Amino acid sequence: MHIGAHLSSSGGIHTAVDRAEAIGADSLQVFTQSPRTWRQTNHDPETFDRFRERRQEAGLHGVLCHALYLCNFAAPNDEIYEKSVAALRSTMEIACAIDADGVVVHVGSHLGEGLDKGLERVVPALEQVLELCSDTTWLLMENSAGAGGTIGRSIDELAVIYDRLDGHPRLGICLDSCHLYVSGVDVTDRAALDACLGEVDATIGLDRLRALHVNDSAAPLGSNRDRHANIGEGLLGEDLGVFLSHPKLQGLPAVLEVAGPEKRGPDANEVRKAKEIRERALART
């Protein structure tokens, strides 16, 4: 398992690799533009070359780009829908330019219109973006915490989308430890996690599980509340090791998306804590 972090790319996308190296991260996730606006960043193409060079120098084992949180591919509003598709296309183009391993995306919310109506919007949107993928850079659907009308709250819902997209060869998934927990999968219990991964294998295939998000949870099991906590400080605590040490999750980029002690994102201490929890869990097996 290659434990890393979601880090800033301020100053040029290549600078995120410097930040990853500085905190001992073995993998990296970035936004390709400001997550708070639809306006796309005008990247200097030279920074893409520099990113690829620095990745090799730093020895990063996984690089992910995360789509904007503003995106909603199930949105009934045409303006939001079109902006979402345009933003994801842009993210995928940049991800391919830096040879990222995947673009992680939240499918969105049907906003009360119902799952079937939502999927009528989601499927053609993702089809467009899958056409832009490379053999290296996949589109990865992330499981949601399950609040409101969000789509992808369960492995079953992700599998429905996967099937509707005919199991596209560059379509995969990313599992978030906190989102699993608050959607009712107790990732601190080996049997429950075994069952979850068994469902992934039966419906989508474990070969399509390409990345992990590692977050402690500030909200209870099954609460459907997306509240990340710093590593070891939430309800998962030391038992996050069950997730981190699971044999079927090894070899994957595992990215922290926690606030950190000063709410500036993950730091070296958060990465260290995650690695140590994993090591202690492995020693107990």
Side-chain angles (χ1 to χ4, degrees):
M1 182 179 287
H2 308 298
I3 295 175
H6 184 113
L7 298 169
S8 169
S9 58
S10 176
I13 198 164
H14 61 293
T15 65
V17 182
D18 301 334
R19 295 182 178 98
E21 194 172 37
I23 66 170
D26 298 323
S27 60
L28 169 65
Q29 180 175 274
V30 295
F31 288 121
T32 62
Q33 65 186 80
S34 169
R36 295 177 290 277
T37 176
W38 292 110
R39 187 175 65 255
Q40 296 173 12
T41 298
N42 185 22
H43 292 274
D44 181 345
E46 289 186 5
T47 64
F48 301 153
D49 296 335
R50 184 61 180 148
F51 186 101
R52 295 193 301 271
E53 291 168 3
R54 287 292 295 119
R55 176 185 180 172
Q56 292 300 316
E57 292 167 1
L60 292 180
H61 293 281
V63 169
L64 306 171
C65 297
H66 201 299
L68 292 186
Y69 293 134
L70 296 172
C71 290
N72 183 2
F73 304 99
N77 179 288
D78 287 340
E79 181 182 2
I80 296 297
Y81 182 78
E82 289 163 10
K83 285 182 174 180
S84 298
V85 173
L88 185 57
R89 287 179 66 93
S90 173
T91 300
M92 180 57 74
E93 287 167 353
I94 294 165
C96 287
I98 63 172
D99 286 339
D101 300 284
V103 170
V104 179
V105 60
H106 296 271
V107 175
S109 171
H110 57 68
L111 299 175
E113 295 290 310
L115 179 61
D116 289 339
K117 285 283 190 183
L119 291 177
E120 288 175 8
R121 307 283 269 180
V122 168
V123 171
L126 299 190
E127 279 177 338
Q128 287 187 49
V129 179
L130 284 165
E131 291 175 2
L132 302 175
C133 290
S134 69
D135 290 341
T136 299
T137 310
W138 287 29
L139 183 65
L140 307 179
M141 301 181 292
E142 181 181 350
N143 64 305
S144 72
T150 52
I151 297 174
R153 66 181 65 204
S154 64
I155 303 305
D156 181 62
E157 286 192 2
L158 292 176
V160 168
I161 302 169
Y162 177 81
D163 289 341
R164 297 266 183 112
L165 289 164
D166 298 320
H168 191 284
R170 290 178 292 279
L171 177 64
I173 62 171
C174 171
L175 293 182
D176 183 303
S177 57
C178 172
H179 296 174
L180 284 172
Y181 187 74
V182 300
S183 64
V185 178
D186 188 353
V187 296
T188 70
D189 179 84
R190 177 61 187 267
L193 187 54
D194 282 345
C196 174
L197 296 177
E199 186 180 2
V200 170
D201 200 22
T203 59
I204 299 172
L206 279 172
D207 60 315
R208 299 301 182 107
L209 175 55
R210 309 286 286 196
L212 305 169
H213 285 167
V214 177
N215 300 299
D216 207 327
S217 178
L221 178 69
S223 63
N224 299 124
R225 294 171 58 214
D226 189 3
R227 299 288 184 271
H228 296 187
N230 287 334
I231 301 302
E233 297 177 13
L235 296 173
L236 306 185
E238 184 70 17
D239 289 335
L240 181 58
V242 174
F243 183 83
L244 293 172
S245 65
H246 196 286
K248 291 182 178 177
L249 299 181
Q250 303 313 301
L252 296 174
V255 173
L256 276 61
E257 299 176 312
V258 298
E262 298 178 358
K263 301 193 183 304
R264 294 178 180 174
D267 62 5
N269 191 46
E270 293 298 313
V271 171
R272 179 190 57 77
K273 286 192 294 181
K275 289 182 176 182
E276 289 179 352
I277 287 174
R278 175 175 175 268
E279 287 165 7
R280 288 193 292 270
L282 287 170
R284 290 192 293 269
T285 58

